[in-house]
């Protein structure tokens, strides 16, 4: 008997598989296709011949943990204790999964804001807990009144994703004020802040949970080197939480993965000495702007994108097909893969919207745009 009877193959897997079968340009799954920084690959080549191939300490490679501590201090003016509040994880998803598994108990409720990343619900269900799905407004701003109504004595956690996948929306100061009001009324609710795209924001600056005093003692922050440094296949990220929560998270982590890939930890610890994460926003803003310019003569209506490397587009002027059918037709008939937004909702709300990933080289974006403009 399945523990996850309603969980099927991820839409990302489905669309990427179809893209490969039909030789379509894959703008569905969120991975860059341009080269990794040569400085990083040079570090990997050098250290591969060194003594870096055995287990690192369970919580992380100490020099990397020190570098992360410096990064958080320089980015957010927050000082953490790496020994007590930090954990290097095998990707952000593992950090999310481990945190939920460690902290959520049978019968408790976890509030998930739709459209939402598909990895949030499964660990909640595996805890025999209840996912409470609350839809964002149509412009993807949080409806804090609805969110508060969803809270109860059984609520254990609220998951926020900022910058937001799939929509590219970022939270504002007003949003954090509203969140603070809710938490003041429900002192036992924790917050899991998924900030994997934290360095990829554009006109407006990302506001991190790290900067909010009221969150520091009840929030788990999740970050991703894979997203920040275009190395998604490395599956490496980190989680920050207050000591009393991190103690529980580490208990699960040590039996789930024990320690994270040693070469990646050593390489990134050295790379952080020479890379400037503050340039990422500019880099991806140029990608976003170029992709939007390429599509300006298409029949797609492009929605605002404030962060991440995803562009949501309406195809309502093109077809009245449901978004899953339209994405399949986009692959089979036009040679471009995208993700239907309805799959990020528990009720599969269909608004004729799809998501493109623009973390691609210019040739790929140009080739895809040419096909999309011909529709």
């Amino acid at each position: 008997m399945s523990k996850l009877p309603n969980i099927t193959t991820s839409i990302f897997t489905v669309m990427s598989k179809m893209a490969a079968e039909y030789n379509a340009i894959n703008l569905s799954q969120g991975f860059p296709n341009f080269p990794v920084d040569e400085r990083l690959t040079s570090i990997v080549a050098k250290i591969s011949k060194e003594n870096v191939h055995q287990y690192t300490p369970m919580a992380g490679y100490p020099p990397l943990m020190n570098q992360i501590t410096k990064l958080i201090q320089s980015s957010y003016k927050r000082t953490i204790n790496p020994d007590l509040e930090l954990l290097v994880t095998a990707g952000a998803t593992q950090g999310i999964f481990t945190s939920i598994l460690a902290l959520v108990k049978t019968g408790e409720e976890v509030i998930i804001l739709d459209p939402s990343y598909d990895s949030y619900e499964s660990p909640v269900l595996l805890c025999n807990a209840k996912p409470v799905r609350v839809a964002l407004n149509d412009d993807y701003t949080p409806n804090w009144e609805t969110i508060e109504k969803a809270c109860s004595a059984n609520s254990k956690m609220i998951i926020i994703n900022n910058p937001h996948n799939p929509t590219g929306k970022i939270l504002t100061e007003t949003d954090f004020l509203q969140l603070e009001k809710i938490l003041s009324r429900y002192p036992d609710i924790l917050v899991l802040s998924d900030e994997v795209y934290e360095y990829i924001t554009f006109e407006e600056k990302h506001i991190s949970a790290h900067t909010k005093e009221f969150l520091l003692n009840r929030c788990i922050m999740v970050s991703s080197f894979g997203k920040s440094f275009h190395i998604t296949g490395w599956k490496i990220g980190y989680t920050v939480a207050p000591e009393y929560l991190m103690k529980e998270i580490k208990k699960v982590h040590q039996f789930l993965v024990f320690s994270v890939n040693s070469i990646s930890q050593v390489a990134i610890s050295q790379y952080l000495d020479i890379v400037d994460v503050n340039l990422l926003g500019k880099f991806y803003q140029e990608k976003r702007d170029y992709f939007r310019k390429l599509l300006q003569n298409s029949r797609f209506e492009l929605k605002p994108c404030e962060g991440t490397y995803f562009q949501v587009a309406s195809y309502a002027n093109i077809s009245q097909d449901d978004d899953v059918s339209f994405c399949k037709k986009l692959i089979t008939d036009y040679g471009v893969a995208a993700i239907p937004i309805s799959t990020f909702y528990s009720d599969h709300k269909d608004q004729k919207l799809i998501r493109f990933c623009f973390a691609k080289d210019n040739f790929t974006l140009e080739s895809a745009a040419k096909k999309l403009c011909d529709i």
Side-chain angles (χ1 to χ4, degrees), residues 17 42 56 62 79-80 87 107 112-113 116 140 152 160 163 232 252 261 278 310 331 335 347-348 354 365:
K17 184 172 183 290
S42 295
T56 62
T79 301
I80 65 166
L87 177 66
I112 299 171
L113 307 182
S116 58
Y140 302 126
S152 72
I160 58 175
T232 59
V252 176
N261 180 284
N278 297 308
F310 300 119
I331 292 173
D347 62 359
H348 303 291
I354 60 178
L365 295 179

Side-chain angles (χ1 to χ4, degrees), residues 187-202:
D188 295 328
I189 292 180
L190 303 174
V191 174
L192 193 156
S193 185
D194 176 354
E195 303 191 19
V196 300
Y197 300 100
E198 61 195 302
Y199 296 111
I200 306 175
T201 57
F202 311 130

Side-chain angles (χ1 to χ4, degrees), residues 141-206:
T141 56
N143 186 324
W144 293 107
E145 183 178 344
T146 307
I147 294 167
E148 182 168 1
K149 286 179 180 176
C151 295
S152 72
N154 289 328
S155 300
K156 179 67 175 185
M157 181 181 287
I158 296 174
I159 301 177
I160 58 175
N161 180 199
N162 179 39
H164 186 257
N165 174 20
T167 70
K169 195 73 178 172
I170 60 175
L171 295 180
T172 66
E173 290 287 0
T174 300
D175 290 319
F176 279 101
L177 287 172
Q178 294 299 317
L179 176 59
E180 184 174 10
K181 287 180 182 178
I182 292 174
L183 296 182
S184 68
R185 297 184 185 110
Y186 292 91
D188 295 328
I189 292 180
L190 303 174
V191 174
L192 193 156
S193 185
D194 176 354
E195 303 191 19
V196 300
Y197 300 100
E198 61 195 302
Y199 296 111
I200 306 175
T201 57
F202 311 130
E203 287 81 7
E204 300 296 327
K205 184 174 172 56
H206 166 64

Side-chain angles (χ1 to χ4, degrees), residues 306-362:
E306 300 170 350
T308 76
Y309 43 57
F310 300 119
Q311 175 65 62
V312 174
S314 169
Y315 63 88
N317 294 328
I318 300 171
S319 170
Q320 289 305 302
D321 287 348
D322 66 84
D323 60 359
V324 174
S325 298
F326 182 79
C327 281
K328 289 179 178 178
K329 188 178 292 186
L330 199 61
I331 292 173
T332 58
D333 295 3
Y334 299 102
V336 179
I339 294 290
I341 296 294
S342 69
T343 58
F344 294 88
Y345 285 91
S346 61
D347 62 359
H348 303 291
K349 180 179 180 180
D350 180 13
Q351 298 174 291
K352 307 292 182 284
L353 297 171
I354 60 178
R355 188 199 79 176
F356 296 112
C357 173
F358 57 79
K360 308 296 177 183
D361 59 43
N362 285 359

Side-chain angles (χ1 to χ4, degrees), residues 1 10 15 29 38 40 69 91 112 127 139 183 200 225 234 258 266 273 282 306 340 372:
M1 184 176 177
S10 163
M15 290 302 166
Q29 199 166 2
E38 288 185 1
L40 180 55
T69 302
I112 299 171
C127 292
D139 64 355
L183 296 182
I200 306 175
F225 287 125
W234 286 29
F258 182 69
V266 176
D273 271 333
K282 181 176 183 294
E306 300 170 350
L372 295 171

Side-chain angles (χ1 to χ4, degrees), residues 69 72-74 76-82 85 210 216 240:
T69 302
I72 293 170
Q73 174 63 41
S74 64
Y76 305 120
K77 305 297 184 285
R78 179 187 179 188
T79 301
I80 65 166
N81 184 325
E85 299 176 299
H210 284 293
L216 299 187
V240 176

Side-chain angles (χ1 to χ4, degrees), residues 25-27 33 291 294 360-369:
I25 299 170
N26 192 353
L27 302 188
N33 76 335
F291 185 56
L294 290 170
K360 308 296 177 183
D361 59 43
N362 285 359
F363 176 77
T364 300
L365 295 179
E366 290 159 7
S367 301

